[in-house]
Amino acid sequence: MMNIIFLGPPGAGKGTQSQIVSQRLSIPQISTGDMLRAAVSQKTPTGLKAKAYMDAGELVPDEIIIDLVRERVDEDDCRNGFILDGFPRTVAQADALAALCAVDRVVNIDVPQERLVARISGRRMCPDCGAAYHVSTHPDGRCGKCGGALYQREDDREETVRNRLRVYEEQTQPLIEYYAARGLLVTVNGDESIERVTEAIAQAVERT
Ligand code: AP5
Ligand code: MG
Ligand code: ZN
């Protein structure tokens, strides 16, 4: 049983790393961003409420996101643990999670601010399998895993990215202190190759 949180600013590599580590540990990746994007494209009631916040780079209200996560961690495939990618993002969400289940490790992926904008503005996503790439490594616009035609996320435009970074600093960064105070935090240097970051994370989660 291993309940892990990946913390970090937009573009830190939470999605990239949680996909890899999820396969390695055979526990699901729970990305609230991916869940919300699916809800938006299916026009569910949650998606309709969330869209305007996401387009503006603001956080979706806590009640909506906490309900989503509560239902998800209750599913069968989570019984041996899970990786939360992009949740919690506020102290209220962290408190709600603490009431739901134990947290074993919080991995804080640290990347200097000036790197983040370049990473995010070059990001391309696979609509079929959810993999994230960068234009510099995948200029042909095809997914390396399944061949899907890559697209750019709506909220990856520069204006919105700057607001997402501001929102991260104001609302999510306090969680670093929150989890450090509870003895759960491990910070890894995310400004390395994808492979090296994966190794650092593997060491961090095995050190329990
Ligand atoms: P979400 O989808 O979670 O976006 P985010 O937090 O802004 O994070 P990103 O997905 O942009 O970055 P990432 O860390 O996953 O980086 P990635 O691996 O893709 O949330 C979107 C929106 O949904 C929010 O703005 C909010 O509105 C809403 N939302 C979601 N959760 C919420 C919550 N809990 N509460 C309220 N609202 C919520 O990598 C980025 C790029 O860098 C890629 O191109 C990748 O190829 C590249 N890259 C990755 N690693 C490396 C490396 N080591 N070296 C070089 N390049 C790398
Ligand atoms: Mg992500
Ligand atoms: Zn794909």
Side-chain angles (χ1 to χ4, degrees), residues 11 13-16 32 37 58 86 89 93 123 133 164 192:
K14 301 182 296 296
T16 302
T32 45
R37 280 183 289 279
E58 297 289 331
R89 268 166 132 107
Q93 292 179 17
R123 172 168 50 196
Y133 299 99
R164 283 162 59 201
E192 298 261 16

Side-chain angles (χ1 to χ4, degrees), residues 106-121:
V106 179
V107 178
N108 175 38
I109 306 179
D110 188 41
V111 176
Q113 165 105 22
E114 65 271 16
R115 282 260 197 269
L116 299 172
V117 178
R119 281 195 187 180
I120 301 174
S121 55

Side-chain angles (χ1 to χ4, degrees), residues 25 32 81 86 92 115 143 199:
L25 299 180
T32 45
R115 282 260 197 269
C143 175
E199 286 321 310

Side-chain angles (χ1 to χ4, degrees), residues 125-131 133 142-150:
M125 302 288 297
C126 176
D128 301 324
C129 73
Y133 299 99
R142 289 278 155 195
C143 175
K145 289 182 189 145
C146 76
L150 305 181

Side-chain angles (χ1 to χ4, degrees), residues 9 20 26 39 50 64 68 87-88 102 104 120 124 130 144 152 173 198-199:
I20 299 170
S26 300
I64 295 180
L68 211 64
F87 180 93
D104 300 298
I120 301 174
R124 300 293 181 270
Q152 184 166 30
Q173 203 154 260
T198 303
E199 286 321 310

Side-chain angles (χ1 to χ4, degrees), residues 11 31 44 73-74 125 140 176 200-201:
S31 161
T44 67
V73 299
D74 232 25
M125 302 288 297
D140 65 343
I176 294 177
I201 293 173

